[in-house]
């Protein structure tokens, strides 16, 4: 967990401008978006990450993130949209 999450978010956004299809940047942004409550950013990030990540194990990782977030009642509505 970054000690300055907003600064980390800004750095990740700059990294994504340089390489918009980098799966590591996208995965880090997904985790940080959930942590920061940037729910509007989650759907486009998930879509971008799924477009570049072909390995089934990574899809399982995303599913685990969704399951963890789903357990938190405050986030249930937002994560349901991700499940489709």
């Amino acid at each position: 967990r970054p000690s300055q999450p907003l600064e980390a978010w800004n750095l990740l956004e700059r990294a994504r401008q340089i390489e918009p299809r980098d799966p590591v940047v996208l995965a880090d942004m997904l985790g940080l978006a959930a942590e920061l409550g940037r729910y509007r950013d989650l759907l486009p990030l998930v879509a971008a990450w799924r477009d570049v990540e072909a390995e089934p194990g990574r899809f399982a990782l995303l599913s685990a993130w969704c399951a963890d977030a789903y357990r938190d009642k405050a986030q249930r509505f937002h994560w349901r949209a991700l499940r489709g």
Side-chain angles (χ1 to χ4, degrees):
R1 177 178 179 182
S3 61
Q4 298 180 355
L6 291 176
E7 183 179 338
W9 180 262
N10 291 333
L11 291 171
L12 287 168
E13 281 188 321
R14 285 195 285 178
R16 188 166 181 217
Q17 289 174 354
I18 294 167
E19 185 54 59
R21 296 180 50 85
D22 185 317
V24 174
V25 171
L26 292 169
D28 285 349
M29 288 185 82
L30 274 167
L32 194 53
E35 182 180 326
L36 294 173
R38 298 182 68 110
Y39 302 116
R40 291 180 187 210
D41 293 311
L42 286 173
L43 288 176
L45 286 169
V46 167
W49 190 72
R50 286 182 60 184
D51 286 346
V52 300
E53 189 56 71
E55 185 176 320
R58 305 264 197 243
F59 182 75
L61 175 66
L62 180 60
S63 296
W65 287 344
C66 290
D68 286 343
Y70 189 78
R71 281 187 261 148
D72 182 351
K73 291 180 182 179
Q75 294 179 358
R76 282 187 181 183
F77 173 77
H78 302 288
W79 285 101
R80 281 186 190 148
L82 296 176
R83 291 182 45 211

